[in-house]
Amino acid sequence: MTGRERILAVFAGREPDRLPCMPITMMFAADILGAKYGKYVLDHRILADAQIKTAEMFGLDYVSTISCPTREATDYGAKIQWYDDQPPAIIEEEALFADKLLLAGFKAPDPLSGGRMEDRIRGVELLHDRVGKDLFVEGWVEGPCAESADLRGINRLMLDFTDDPAFVNDLFEFTVEGAIRFASAQIEAGADIIGVGDAAASLVGPRIYKGFVWPWEKKLVDAIHARGGRVRLHICGNTRRILDGMGALGCEMVDIDYPVPMDQARTQMGQCQTLAGNMDPVRGLRNGSPETIVQSLEAMQKQVGAQWIVGAGCEVVRDTPHDNLRALATFAKTHTEASISSNQA
């Protein structure tokens, strides 16, 4: 099987020839290519070169256009702090919608208007053309809670849930409509799956998640499906209290970060949900050894069972030893879903 075929088999509930491997690499990939990260996030050609080289070097099953959470916000006009060799960051004190009144009548730009969103679309196009027959190609959008936090400011947004819920829904509607347009363009460009990054959702409890966040995430997921796409949900952090809702979105794949035990995620999301993760990127992957990594992965496989994609809980840290990432990828190459029963014996 190719990497693409392997991942599709898991999504279809069929047993692949071996476990798929989809760790998130961003700064790690830029370093593999020898590129400054400030260039990686601005030039899809550098990103594509880095992703392909990393996938080939470590035997990964996919390539991704994820790079930072500021693409949409940049094109919307948010103020960004740029760095030479670090990810760009939102300047929260000068958030685009610090004044709520500015949202009314605000017109979002076309994703193909020549900005950073179009750069990602071109990245999807380039990856699809170069390796799309063999590797799974991933696009990416920000989810409603994450993008709203970028545009409003995370602290203001958390207060808005109580102080002005009507505004929150208006803001979520704005961000989801933009995400749907952006995701649609990436699907047309050749993305096999759209990652939906909604990290800020891990900061809210079940009441706010179910009442505010989940309905808009569901609208985004359904829209991506309606356009022929697939969805990878990525909410990093401790999501134990919202696992049920995450599992009810209908995503093909849900990332589980290291604070959440895999057996708990499996119990609450069911046997049919494909899960990915969840090795601690720092203590487990970067600071571990090939031997401890294999031991951890064996324990995870016992907890999660089938419908599992090997990866870290979040981004592979840039200074992760190459032998450690290679150990994670080698585990996937040398284990099948049938390995579970032998591990448990």
Side-chain angles (χ1 to χ4, degrees):
M1 284 183 169
T2 64
R4 185 174 189 278
E5 291 169 340
R6 191 170 294 120
I7 294 166
L8 289 174
V10 172
F11 289 170
R14 303 192 310 270
E15 185 174 342
D17 60 338
R18 49 91 162 172
L19 298 176
C21 190
M22 294 179 65
I24 293 174
T25 62
M26 294 185 282
M27 287 186 283
F28 183 91
D31 288 349
I32 289 294
L33 187 67
K36 296 289 188 182
Y37 201 67
K39 301 291 186 182
Y40 181 95
V41 301
L42 289 172
D43 189 334
H44 66 276
R45 295 162 296 187
I46 293 174
L47 183 150
D49 286 346
Q51 282 290 306
I52 292 169
K53 184 173 181 179
T54 302
E56 291 175 345
M57 185 171 172
F58 294 94
L60 309 184
D61 291 311
Y62 90 124
V63 287
S64 179
T65 56
I66 182 176
S67 61
C68 67
T70 63
R71 283 195 186 257
E72 295 98 310
T74 302
D75 286 3
Y76 292 160
K79 292 191 176 180
I80 308 295
Q81 178 68 57
W82 298 95
Y83 301 96
D84 178 53
D85 201 26
Q86 294 288 337
I90 300 288
I91 302 175
E92 181 165 342
E93 296 78 9
E94 301 179 63
L96 184 64
F97 295 138
D99 180 353
K100 292 186 289 187
L101 297 178
L102 295 177
L103 177 62
F106 190 93
K107 185 173 176 58
D110 187 325
L112 289 168
S113 58
R116 293 194 64 216
M117 286 191 283
E118 181 167 350
D119 181 73
R120 174 171 286 162
I121 293 164
R122 299 307 170 206
V124 168
E125 219 168 40
L126 185 57
L127 288 169
H128 176 265
D129 290 345
R130 289 178 60 183
V131 297
K133 291 182 179 179
D134 297 321
L135 300 179
F136 216 54
V137 177
E138 181 178 74
W140 202 272
V141 299
E142 294 302 300
C145 200
E147 186 61 25
S148 295
D150 286 344
L151 298 179
R152 171 71 172 149
I154 185 68
N155 295 307
R156 296 185 192 91
L157 179 64
M158 292 298 142
L159 294 173
D160 290 337
F161 285 121
T162 299
D163 295 345
D164 197 345
F167 170 76
V168 172
N169 277 310
D170 288 344
L171 182 56
F172 279 14
E173 180 179 20
F174 171 82
T175 58
V176 166
E177 287 177 352
I180 291 170
R181 290 191 295 270
F182 190 22
S184 300
Q186 292 177 71
I187 293 167
E188 290 177 9
D192 291 305
I193 194 166
I194 300 295
V196 174
D198 214 11
S202 68
L203 302 178
V204 304
R207 180 182 62 83
I208 290 177
Y209 182 74
K210 292 177 181 177
F212 288 92
V213 182
W214 190 91
W216 291 105
E217 286 182 344
K218 180 62 172 171
K219 181 174 181 179
L220 176 56
V221 170
D222 288 348
I224 292 171
H225 285 158
R227 287 155 178 79
R230 306 172 187 86
V231 181
R232 173 186 193 168
L233 180 67
H234 183 86
I235 303 179
C236 47
N238 190 345
T239 57
R240 295 187 193 198
R241 297 187 297 167
I242 61 172
L243 287 172
D244 290 344
M246 292 166 61
L249 288 168
C251 302
E252 280 73 13
M253 173 181 176
V254 176
D255 287 351
I256 304 298
D257 206 351
Y258 75 91
V260 181
M262 289 300 277
D263 53 356
Q264 182 178 348
R266 174 57 74 211
T267 298
Q268 293 189 231
M269 294 190 188
Q271 297 300 317
C272 294
Q273 176 67 67
T274 298
L275 301 177
N278 70 331
M279 179 169 288
D280 185 329
V282 177
R283 288 177 296 182
L285 189 55
R286 187 190 72 178
N287 296 348
S289 67
E291 293 75 22
T292 60
I293 288 166
V294 169
Q295 292 168 5
S296 296
L297 291 169
E298 287 175 345
M300 282 176 214
Q301 189 174 27
K302 290 178 182 178
Q303 288 186 346
V304 74
Q307 298 297 118
W308 178 46
I309 294 175
V310 176
C314 198
E315 178 187 4
V316 174
V317 182
R318 72 187 315 172
D319 59 350
T320 297
H322 291 188
D323 284 347
N324 287 7
L325 183 57
R326 196 168 283 113
L328 182 140
T330 299
F331 181 91
K333 292 176 189 176
T334 56
H335 287 70
T336 66
E337 291 185 354
S339 303
I340 302 166
S341 57
S342 62
N343 285 340
Q344 291 175 335

